[in-house]
Amino acid sequence: MGWLLVFLAAVSEIIGVVGLKMYSTQKKNAVNTLLFVGGFGCAFALLYASFQFLQLSIAYAVWIGMGTAGGVLVNMIFFGESRNMGRIISVVIIVAGVTGLKAVSV
Amino acid sequence: MNKSWVYVGLTCLFELFWVYGFNVASSWWHWVIIVGIILVDFHFLSKACEKLPTGTVYAVFAAVGTAGTALMDVVLFAADFHLQKGLFIVLIIIGVVSLKLADNQDEGEVG
């Protein structure tokens, strides 16, 4: 149950990032605002719910790793953002850093 | 380009304000202020994404939030600091700097 909530929280976060992209570069309409604010809102609610089942630092580490990597990948795949090797390596370093830091923080 | 990075800086700063709020909030009107800060933060986040790649902005936002929260816990809320934390924070900083360099290089190639 805990892991399902973390997974859904990461998916919501990626939806929020898609909303962020569309809200800031396309139209500031109701749908994009809802994806942006609603996506991040649901992400936090689901993550918070997962703390009932999992240790906070572990749940947070997995969520932020999946969400950050997913957010960048979605923008590369669906919105044509640059896929140069430097960007990909940098994002891998950031994901390793944020996940590791959350994992060792109690 | 530079103006957009000012928005990145602002969104990261306001993110740390609301994380601080989460730590100290004790009555309902504190939460009203926190929600206000989050909305301002999201406004800056979207402004930053108008001119910069969203993937870059979001990765930096997550990176600064995580490293900043860890440091805030140590400095303001008496959490333990140990070598592993320091190493991961250094790793995050390396990632952010190299991401910014990679984007600059990309811009140079395109135009």
Side-chain angles (χ1 to χ4, degrees):
Chain A
M1 185 64 187
W3 291 112
L4 179 67
L5 288 169
V6 171
F7 175 75
L8 292 175
V11 171
S12 300
E13 188 189 4
I14 294 166
I15 292 170
V17 174
V18 169
L20 168 62
K21 175 76 180 182
M22 299 204 298
Y23 177 86
S24 53
T25 59
Q26 296 169 17
K27 282 188 182 139
K28 298 195 188 332
N29 59 17
V31 174
N32 292 344
T33 308
L34 189 71
L35 284 175
F36 174 26
V37 179
F40 283 113
C42 287
F44 278 108
L46 290 161
L47 180 68
Y48 193 79
S50 80
F51 294 161
Q52 286 186 303
F53 305 94
L54 296 169
Q55 199 190 326
L56 189 145
S57 57
I58 301 299
Y60 205 118
V62 173
W63 170 74
I64 196 146
M66 286 174 68
T68 308
V72 175
L73 284 174
V74 161
N75 276 294
M76 285 179 179
I77 295 167
F78 296 106
F79 295 98
E81 291 190 355
S82 165
R83 300 177 200 184
N84 82 40
M85 196 47 76
R87 280 194 96 210
I88 293 169
I89 292 170
S90 306
V91 171
V92 169
I93 293 171
I94 291 174
V95 169
V98 294
T99 307
L101 180 58
K102 281 295 173 188
V104 299
S105 305
V106 179
Chain B
M1 161 71 197
N2 283 332
K3 201 177 161 203
S4 296
W5 279 97
V6 172
Y7 283 123
V8 175
L10 285 170
T11 191
C12 291
L13 184 67
F14 275 70
E15 183 187 20
L16 294 176
F17 289 160
W18 60 260
V19 170
Y20 176 80
F22 271 42
N23 277 300
V24 298
S26 55
S27 67
W28 66 269
W29 61 269
H30 292 164
W31 290 102
V32 175
I33 295 174
I34 291 166
V35 169
I37 295 172
I38 291 175
L39 292 177
V40 173
D41 186 34
F42 274 28
H43 170 72
F44 290 139
L45 182 61
S46 76
K47 293 299 282 182
C49 292
E50 286 179 3
K51 297 277 165 60
L52 292 169
T54 300
T56 296
V57 174
Y58 193 67
V60 172
F61 178 76
V64 174
T66 309
T69 303
L71 288 173
M72 191 193 298
D73 284 344
V74 170
V75 175
L76 298 180
F77 301 107
D80 286 337
F81 187 82
H82 44 78
L83 185 63
Q84 286 166 304
K85 274 192 194 175
L87 290 176
F88 280 121
I89 289 172
V90 170
L91 192 62
I92 291 170
I93 294 167
I94 292 170
V96 169
V97 172
S98 92
L99 182 60
K100 175 137 178 18
L101 293 176
D103 275 359
N104 287 352
Q105 186 194 25
D106 223 36
E107 270 201 350
E109 280 169 13
V110 173

